[in-house]
């Protein structure tokens, strides 16, 4: 079992001017995402909730997020007063791009961001990011496979431990990532779309790739060209037409 989460250790490494207003470490929770929305009155803007395990952690499209005790990062962050759907879609993408950037810098692997919310390594999923919005309030959830071995992961997933062969101290990983995320959030606020697009161009798995996607209006095939300001995927179809995907499930990438 890896070292337990320690609130004091994490807090002491978070920058003094951090956006993290409060840090709550739980042993066991249903989902840190739900915890945030169930405790809105007592939690301040910028509160971060981390758990050793989740009994019903979930991802996009209601998929289960496997949350084995003491091994991964299961964390949600609260942003009050967002009130913009443009910002809402930006949050998921900023979260996954920022995580991808941090992981590449820290561990040196060629991690890629898979639209709209995954961090991948050679076809296996390392991390996922989820933004939920209610009444202008956003819960931004991060799930990262850190110290899990193969038996603790779903198919087509990997962990930092499996890739590097070394255990990661989550009490260092978490504050370092929060500090790095704060920088990206600041740049995003200043430069808005330009910053997101730069990160996307650097780390996107899909740029220039041929994809097949399932959407509410059917199957779409084409080549990924770019992203839109609200983080849709711009696809050039076989017949030369352009389509923007906002919500879609990627079935095939070539
Ligand atoms: C995805 O891959 O679709 C996103 C996964 C997000 C998982 C994290 S773990 C912390 C937070 N609590 C949850 O229930 N989900 C997110």
């Amino acid at each position: 079992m890896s070292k337990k989460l320690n609130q004091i250790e994490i807090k002491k490494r978070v920058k003094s001017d951090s956006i993290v207003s409060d840090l709550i470490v739980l042993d066991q929770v249903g989902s840190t995402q739900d915890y945030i929305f169930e405790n809105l009155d007592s939690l301040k803007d910028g509160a971060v909730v981390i758990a050793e395990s989740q009994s019903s952690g979930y991802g996009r499209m209601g998929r289960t997020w496997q949350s084995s005790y003491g091994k991964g990062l299961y964390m949600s962050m609260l942003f009050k007063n967002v009130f913009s759907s443009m910002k809402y879609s930006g949050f998921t993408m900023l979260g996954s791009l920022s995580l991808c950037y941090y992981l590449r810098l820290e561990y040196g692997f060629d991690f890629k961001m898979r639209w709209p919310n995954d961090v991948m390594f050679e076809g296996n999923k390392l991390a996922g990011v989820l933004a939920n919005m209610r009444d202008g309030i956003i819960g931004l959830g991060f799930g990262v496979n850190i110290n899990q071995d193969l038996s603790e992961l779903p198919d087509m997933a990997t962990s930092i431990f499996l890739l590097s062969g070394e255990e990661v101290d989550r009490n260092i990983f978490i504050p370092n990532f929060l500090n790095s995320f704060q920088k990206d959030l600041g740049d995003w606020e200043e430069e808005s779309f330009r910053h997101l697009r730069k990160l996307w161009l650097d780390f996107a798995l899909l740029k220039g790739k041929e994809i097949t996607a399932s959407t509410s209006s059917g199957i779409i095939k084409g080549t990924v060209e770019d992203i839109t300001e609200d983080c849709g995927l711009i696809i050039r179809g076989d017949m030369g037409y352009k389509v923007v995907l906002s919500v879609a499930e990627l079935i095939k990438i070539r």
Side-chain angles (χ1 to χ4, degrees):
M1 146 105 68
S2 38
K3 210 172 134 192
K4 284 201 84 163
L5 292 171
N6 181 317
Q7 196 238 23
I8 297 169
E9 272 193 49
I10 299 172
K11 244 183 161 164
K12 120 183 143 199
R13 294 187 176 109
V14 163
K15 278 174 19 160
S16 54
D17 66 342
S18 179
I19 43 161
V20 178
S21 59
D22 205 357
L23 188 83
I24 295 147
V25 176
L26 305 168
D27 194 59
Q28 161 72 40
V29 72
S31 150
T32 55
Q33 262 330 69
D34 291 348
Y35 182 95
I36 285 235
F37 285 101
E38 283 157 10
N39 293 280
L40 281 179
D41 290 343
S42 59
L43 294 176
K44 283 186 275 184
D45 185 35
V48 168
V49 179
I50 308 166
E52 287 285 13
S53 83
Q54 303 183 112
S55 53
S56 38
Y58 57 90
R60 239 175 116 243
M61 317 267 183
R63 292 199 187 101
T64 302
W65 186 261
Q66 212 161 305
S67 312
S68 51
Y69 190 92
K71 294 293 181 88
L73 170 65
Y74 320 116
M75 174 171 90
S76 296
M77 191 163 189
L78 174 62
F79 296 91
K80 289 189 168 175
N81 311 317
V82 178
F83 296 119
S84 142
S85 56
M86 178 91 99
K87 270 217 129 158
Y88 167 55
S89 22
F91 262 103
T92 316
M93 199 131 141
L94 179 77
S96 45
L97 284 167
S98 178
L99 189 55
C100 186
Y101 173 74
Y102 170 72
L103 288 161
R104 290 172 77 106
L105 213 65
E106 200 65 31
Y107 300 99
F109 290 94
D110 188 25
F111 296 116
K112 295 274 186 199
M113 182 271 198
R114 183 176 67 183
W115 182 87
N117 68 328
D118 296 333
V119 178
M120 307 290 294
F121 182 73
E122 293 180 349
N124 292 317
K125 182 157 163 168
L126 182 81
V129 176
L130 177 73
N132 295 115
M133 179 154 95
R134 277 182 223 160
D135 303 328
I137 294 172
I138 283 189
L140 187 61
F142 296 90
V144 186
N145 301 326
I146 297 188
N147 288 323
Q148 287 95 330
D149 60 35
L150 261 189
S151 67
E152 294 160 318
L153 292 171
D155 287 348
M156 307 298 288
T158 191
S159 71
I160 302 175
F161 172 70
L162 286 173
L163 294 173
S164 69
E166 280 172 33
E167 278 226 340
V168 173
D169 185 344
R170 293 170 302 155
N171 295 319
I172 298 177
F173 180 98
I174 293 167
N176 285 355
F177 169 60
L178 286 170
N179 292 339
S180 172
F181 179 63
Q182 175 161 358
K183 162 101 181 50
D184 282 326
L185 196 62
D187 289 349
W188 184 43
E189 260 148 24
E190 253 172 48
E191 298 182 42
S192 189
F193 183 59
R194 226 162 59 101
H195 181 66
L196 262 188
R197 184 157 179 273
K198 185 185 172 315
L199 289 174
W200 189 80
L201 289 171
D202 287 347
F203 310 140
L205 173 71
L206 299 182
K207 190 174 29 101
K209 292 257 163 68
E210 278 176 40
I211 59 146
T212 306
S214 161
T215 74
S216 55
S217 39
I219 299 289
I220 290 182
K221 286 185 186 177
T223 307
V224 177
E225 290 201 332
D226 209 334
I227 50 167
T228 62
E229 290 224 17
D230 54 359
C231 301
L233 215 48
I234 303 178
I235 312 292
R236 170 83 59 185
D238 301 344
M239 314 290 279
Y241 57 85
K242 271 193 190 180
V243 189
V244 175
L245 296 185
S246 300
V247 183
E249 200 46 24
L250 300 175
I251 308 173
K252 207 153 127 198
I253 304 168
R254 275 201 298 151

